[in-house]
Amino acid sequence: MIRKFISRVLGRKSSGNRSEPAIIAVAQHGLQRDQISRGCRQTVEALQENGFLAYIVGGAVRDLLAGLTPKDFDVATNATPEQVRRCFRRSRIIGRRFQIVHVHMGSETIEVTTFRGHHNEEHAGNKAHTDAQGRVLRDNVFGSQAEDAARRDFTVNALYYDPTSEAIIDYHHGVADLQQKTLRMIGDPKTRYREDPVRMLRAVRLAAKLGLAIDPAARRPIREMADLIENVPPSRLFDEMLKLLTSGHALRCVTRLREEGLHNGVLPLLDVILEQPLGERFVKLALEATDRRVDQGKPISPGFLFATLLWHQLLATWEPLTRRGEPAIPSLFVAMDEVLNVQAEKLAITRRIAGDIKDIWGLQPRFEQRSGKRPYGVLQQPRFKAGYDFLLLRAESGEVDPTISVWWTDFLHAGDEARAAMLLPAPAGAAAKKRRRRRRRPPEGSAPNPSAPE
Ligand code: ATP
Ligand code: MG
């Protein structure tokens, strides 16, 4: 017991540059070659036949060992990208910063990466470029397999599986950590977070996805280092947040982000939202629904997701404008731009997704209009279904009168006659207002009133 403990401690001490890996046989780990996709196996075999080392590595090995279905298969090899490309007819070198090769096998695309080398100061000549906070900006040196293992983030992510021998090459006790349900950082956690603060988000996501506890040494520094997230380019943060929110464990991840003090850098107002009972309930329902969809293999719309996460922030921005007497719809659009602009500084929501978010939000006040021709117009909107699902969530969270969402559900499923019978009478004074509006013409030469209702 004590020996095991000491050897573990010693093993950890040198975990950053261990070069003698454990070779773990299939009898011990149980991962069989037929669990690997055919395309991936063929890729590894072809590289091996050409005299190169080649393994399945990273998330796929980890997920299979944990009993999960991998999203994709990555291969690591000692062949250079050019050598890889020569082994496969259907392959292409991609990437500028660090070249990888996409190998096409049937309908599969396998990502083949050459072992990467060290990027710390100890290795003169291979010095990585870092920013003032120590974040690695360039890291594009080929290396040995041991070096490749050492530069991966967590021990469970540094496992190399050889489908030919069915053995796992384990440099950092990843198999044992997975069995003990621990997410452990390779090397010194603080240094690794400084090099790449996204690793803090990955820790939360992978722990939630795999049901692992973050090792205290890796967990402790997160709170004090959380601010480093602010240095990460917004587009990278967006990709990582999207992964986190579509992981199937979004609720657990967001709760955990908050517990670790990590949410400020990514969704700055999440704390404020989650402190209001209505906001908290709404976000919780939305994330639960997302996790259910992932579980059922249904697609997730990023626009819908971010629309839910930012909705109460939008309400908080919109409400003071209408309270000041500004017309509802134009001020809604002003509030939308404000919320999305603030968010864009942290997290680069793509233009297309921002468009989807606005469509969903913009439909919400229109659901309240249930007289005349308006409901028919709403039904015709391209984003009607998403807007309607959003309305259901609002009703479920208690923010909207449920008679409105029930009315829309009935209206959606009713035939023409039933629909006509469902329409509410025009609100008192609406007809007169409409007539007045028609009659009113702006005086000659005056600017159009931007806040006039549509
Ligand atoms: P998933 O595919 O479930 O998102 P993953 O661990 O496979 O999880 P990828 O982004 O596909 O994540 O990365 C593949 C592998 O590359 C990881 O398993 C890890 O070994 C390594 N890796 C990814 N991101 C980092 C990082 N920020 N720092 C160090 N190694 C990383
Ligand atoms: Mg992966």
Side-chain angles (χ1 to χ4, degrees):
M1 181 79 184
I2 290 176
R3 249 201 19 228
K4 198 170 149 201
F5 175 70
I6 291 173
S7 82
R8 253 187 109 76
V9 170
L10 292 180
R12 295 275 163 263
K13 269 200 151 165
S14 56
S15 66
N17 49 16
R18 274 191 58 178
S19 51
E20 279 309 312
I23 315 276
I24 303 180
V26 61
Q28 280 166 275
H29 62 70
L31 174 53
Q32 290 171 346
R33 71 172 71 86
D34 58 10
Q35 291 174 264
I36 307 296
S37 78
R38 178 200 286 265
C40 184
R41 258 183 297 157
Q42 287 173 335
T43 306
V44 170
E45 282 160 12
L47 285 165
Q48 291 178 342
E49 278 159 20
N50 280 279
F52 298 111
L53 294 174
Y55 302 93
I56 296 135
V57 68
V61 182
R62 176 200 69 209
D63 289 355
L64 284 169
L65 286 176
L68 304 175
T69 310
K71 275 201 314 235
D72 42 35
F73 289 92
D74 296 328
V75 168
T77 177
N78 64 348
T80 64
E82 195 47 54
Q83 287 171 324
V84 175
R85 211 190 48 77
R86 272 187 250 126
C87 293
F88 302 95
R89 207 168 38 82
R90 293 176 59 219
S91 65
R92 205 158 63 94
I93 297 182
I94 61 157
R96 273 179 301 150
R97 211 178 72 143
F98 189 87
Q99 293 188 327
I100 58 173
V101 185
H102 274 178
V103 175
H104 300 281
M105 287 279 178
S107 60
E108 285 183 69
T109 302
I110 312 296
E111 213 168 276
V112 182
T113 311
T114 305
F115 295 143
R116 285 201 213 181
H118 279 289
H119 50 64
N120 48 26
E121 278 91 333
E122 295 158 32
H123 295 76
N126 279 355
K127 203 166 165 178
H129 296 249
T130 56
D131 68 7
Q133 282 75 30
R135 190 167 66 86
V136 172
L137 301 176
R138 263 200 283 144
D139 153 24
N140 49 2
V141 205
F142 298 143
S144 66
Q145 187 179 353
E147 288 170 330
D148 185 82
R151 62 160 297 287
R152 294 180 182 270
D153 45 8
F154 301 101
T155 62
V156 297
N157 283 346
L159 299 173
Y160 299 76
Y161 180 71
D162 177 0
T164 310
S165 65
E166 296 187 311
I168 287 180
I169 322 275
D170 182 359
Y171 286 84
H172 299 282
H173 307 283
V175 171
D177 283 341
L178 199 56
Q179 283 163 352
Q180 286 157 19
K181 299 215 159 284
T182 303
L183 189 69
R184 197 185 309 274
M185 183 70 87
I186 297 172
D188 170 49
K190 282 191 182 176
T191 311
R192 306 301 313 272
Y193 291 144
R194 221 170 285 123
E195 287 168 358
D196 181 6
V198 165
R199 290 176 184 146
M200 294 188 263
L201 299 175
R202 286 177 54 85
V204 168
R205 173 168 66 87
L206 295 174
K209 168 173 167 171
L210 297 155
L212 305 182
I214 305 175
D215 169 49
R219 190 178 169 196
R220 224 175 291 119
I222 291 183
R223 186 164 289 279
E224 68 189 73
M225 299 183 84
D227 288 351
L228 291 181
I229 294 281
E230 285 170 23
N231 301 325
V232 177
S235 59
R236 175 129 191 263
L237 267 192
F238 176 74
D239 289 346
E240 191 53 37
M241 274 307 281
L242 201 55
K243 272 192 172 187
L244 188 144
L245 292 168
T246 55
S247 66
H249 308 279
L251 183 57
R252 219 183 316 163
C253 284
V254 168
T255 312
R256 203 61 199 266
L257 281 186
R258 199 173 163 222
E259 283 167 9
E260 305 296 344
L262 272 172
H263 56 287
N264 273 324
V266 274
L267 291 164
L269 290 179
L270 198 59
D271 220 14
V272 184
I273 296 165
L274 293 177
E275 264 158 31
Q276 309 159 2
L278 268 187
E280 173 166 24
R281 196 166 147 65
F282 182 73
V283 168
K284 212 169 149 228
L285 285 171
L287 295 180
E288 273 167 4
T290 307
D291 289 344
R292 253 195 323 274
R293 282 184 71 90
V294 174
D295 192 42
Q296 294 161 352
K298 294 184 183 167
I300 298 296
S301 145
F304 189 88
L305 251 177
F306 283 100
T308 57
L309 288 174
L310 299 171
W311 173 244
H312 277 258
Q313 199 169 326
L314 177 74
L315 290 181
T317 313
W318 184 24
E319 206 247 352
L321 302 180
T322 49
R323 213 177 330 117
R324 274 207 314 254
E326 302 203 12
I329 304 296
S331 59
L332 171 64
F333 280 85
V334 170
M336 283 184 196
D337 283 336
E338 198 176 316
V339 168
L340 290 175
N341 286 343
V342 168
Q343 193 57 51
E345 288 166 18
K346 304 270 182 181
L347 200 82
I349 293 178
T350 61
R351 210 184 289 249
R352 194 177 57 80
I353 294 176
D356 289 347
I357 298 175
K358 284 183 172 184
D359 287 347
I360 293 170
W361 286 345
L363 274 169
Q364 299 311 307
R366 298 180 66 180
F367 285 118
E368 283 170 34
Q369 303 165 346
R370 286 169 290 153
S371 59
K373 294 196 186 108
R374 286 178 167 179
Y376 295 99
V378 172
L379 280 183
Q380 298 306 316
Q381 294 300 312
R383 304 284 303 160
F384 169 79
K385 183 63 176 53
Y388 163 74
D389 286 342
F390 199 85
L391 174 73
L392 295 185
L393 271 180
R394 291 174 63 212
E396 202 183 338
S397 74
E399 182 217 324
V400 160
D401 179 354
T403 53
I404 299 184
S405 59
V406 170
W407 187 93
W408 275 98
T409 304
D410 294 344
F411 190 70
L412 181 60
H413 297 111
D416 288 347
E417 266 182 46
R419 277 187 181 167
M422 283 178 70
L423 296 174
L424 304 189
K433 206 164 146 196
K434 202 168 169 185
R435 273 200 303 280
R436 266 204 311 279
R437 220 167 38 223
R438 276 213 196 107
R439 239 181 288 128
R440 202 167 51 206
R441 290 278 178 271
E444 205 79 40
S446 73
N449 177 2
S451 60
E454 311 156 280

